[in-house]
Amino acid sequence: MNNLQIIHHRELPRRRPTPRTHCNLRREEMESSVTGGEDTGANISLSVKFSGRTIPITNLSPDSTIKDLKSLLQPLTNVLPRGQKLICKGKLLVDGMTLEESEVANGSRIMLMASQGLHQGDGPILKQAPTRPISRANNATTLGKEKTEVSVDKNRLDRWKATGVIGLRDCNLRAIPDEVWACGASARVIELSNNAIPVVPAKIGCLSSLQKLFLSANDILDNSINWEALVSLKFLTVLSLDQNHLTTLPPAFGLLTSLKQFHVANNKLSSLPNEIGLLTKLEVLKVNNNRISTMPTCIRDCVGLIEIDVSSNLLSELPETFGNLHNLKSLCLSNNGLKSLPSTLFKKCLQLTTLDLHNTEITMDVLRQTEGWESFDERRRLKHQKQLDFRVVNSGAFDEGADKS
């Protein structure tokens, strides 16, 4: 929980609002945008103090509820509404009451206190938020700046060609060594994780037999991957780009039609391209810890998907097309602003046995009212019982993460 101080202030004179019909917060925002944001004399502007910064909120109706205000603060703070405690003039504000009933006047200052764990994305947005969700040690500092490349002797190169496996993890590389390209069609697996490689050059296309490429924890940017060369790798089944600096994926990504596993966690992606629907052989999709706010409806075409991890993003809903993923077995949705699930998820995804809903707005009551819940609950219990019988997991696996209402 953030340590915050309550700031007391002199209450400004309140204007008596003119009679008006009740409307929700979204309608008020739309009306204010149409009128150019002019002050009608009834709207309320206030400021919210959170983690050392001030968040201005303008053009609120006195009839807006505290719950409306919390929903408005969610994308600005990453704190879920039920994890927000709003305090004004030393008084805890109640969800069901309006701003007027709560004596929140124009110019009021409100303190936001966040409950630990009840957040979406990679955590609350702080005054000095880290630029990357997971930090890794700087190899140049750890291993010495003088070591910027790996010495590859003839024996090592011959071993790479014979086995097809090239292992260069944690080698403080600033570029992919030329000896890698010399392996040509012999290379099947390349492990280059945890280096400082900024570019995936066109030469990657010469590795025509490459099946698995691991490039996690490097310094790769959007425009530093030669996607044209990458999509020429017709046997590529595993691609790992976790923990880089990616903000978007190009349409060419959809041409990686042999891909079975795609890992791009801990980047800065705001969306996935519609072309992902072309990856009909994709089985594992891990895009957790990004800034994704919507999932493309064409995800329905990824009929081979078995495991999806979209935890710690900014999702408020999932498309109904998730129900088309009939082979789906595991779905991780924790730390998102979700309030419900696709109505056909339990009814159509009959292989689904693992569902992680930690730190979402979805309660057990919501789950029980979803069609197909009973069958899903029976499947997941049976699976975990079998695992317990063989001592595979502990009892913690029974916690599916849906908080009781």
Side-chain angles (χ1 to χ4, degrees), residues 54-176:
T54 300
I55 304 171
I57 305 293
T58 60
N59 294 325
L60 298 178
S61 166
D63 294 327
S64 299
T65 64
I66 300 302
K67 187 175 181 179
D68 291 332
L69 177 58
K70 288 183 176 182
S71 297
L72 191 61
L73 287 170
Q74 178 179 334
L76 301 176
T77 63
N78 274 5
V79 182
L80 298 177
R82 64 192 174 95
Q84 298 179 29
K85 291 184 180 180
L86 299 180
I87 300 172
C88 183
K89 296 181 288 187
K91 182 175 66 175
L92 183 65
L93 303 182
V94 180
D95 284 359
M97 297 182 65
T98 66
L99 296 180
E100 185 176 22
E101 292 170 342
S102 303
E103 298 183 350
V104 176
N106 192 47
S108 290
R109 287 178 287 178
I110 296 176
M111 304 302 298
L112 167 58
M113 301 180 70
S115 297
Q116 187 173 6
L118 295 177
H119 59 78
Q120 63 180 9
D122 51 12
I125 301 175
L126 307 177
K127 185 176 182 180
Q128 295 180 340
T131 56
R132 302 178 70 175
I134 297 179
S135 62
R136 59 186 173 89
N138 189 316
N139 290 329
T141 302
T142 305
L143 302 178
K145 293 183 179 180
E146 69 282 355
K147 183 180 179 182
T148 58
E149 59 183 29
V150 173
S151 175
V152 180
D153 56 29
K154 185 178 184 302
N155 290 336
R156 193 175 191 182
L157 182 57
D158 289 342
R159 187 167 64 251
W160 286 353
K161 290 181 178 180
T163 64
V165 179
I166 301 173
L168 289 171
R169 182 186 179 93
D170 294 301
C171 290
N172 193 34
L173 296 175
R174 305 289 179 86
I176 301 176

Side-chain angles (χ1 to χ4, degrees), residues 278-318:
L278 300 174
L279 306 183
T280 56
K281 296 181 181 179
L282 192 64
E283 298 177 356
V284 177
L285 176 63
K286 295 198 173 185
V287 293
N288 51 292
N289 293 91
N290 278 281
R291 307 288 295 175
I292 298 173
S293 57
T294 58
M295 290 290 289
T297 56
C298 59
I299 195 76
R300 64 175 178 267
D301 298 323
C302 299
V303 293
L305 275 171
I306 297 173
E307 179 181 355
I308 299 177
D309 188 347
V310 289
S311 56
S312 297
N313 276 284
L314 305 177
L315 296 170
S316 58
E317 62 180 359
L318 294 177

Side-chain angles (χ1 to χ4, degrees), residues 259-280:
L259 210 59
K260 292 184 177 181
Q261 295 187 29
F262 182 52
H263 304 256
V264 68
N266 294 294
N267 278 275
K268 302 173 184 177
L269 297 177
S270 58
S271 63
L272 295 175
N274 288 329
E275 288 76 10
I276 194 173
L278 300 174
L279 306 183
T280 56

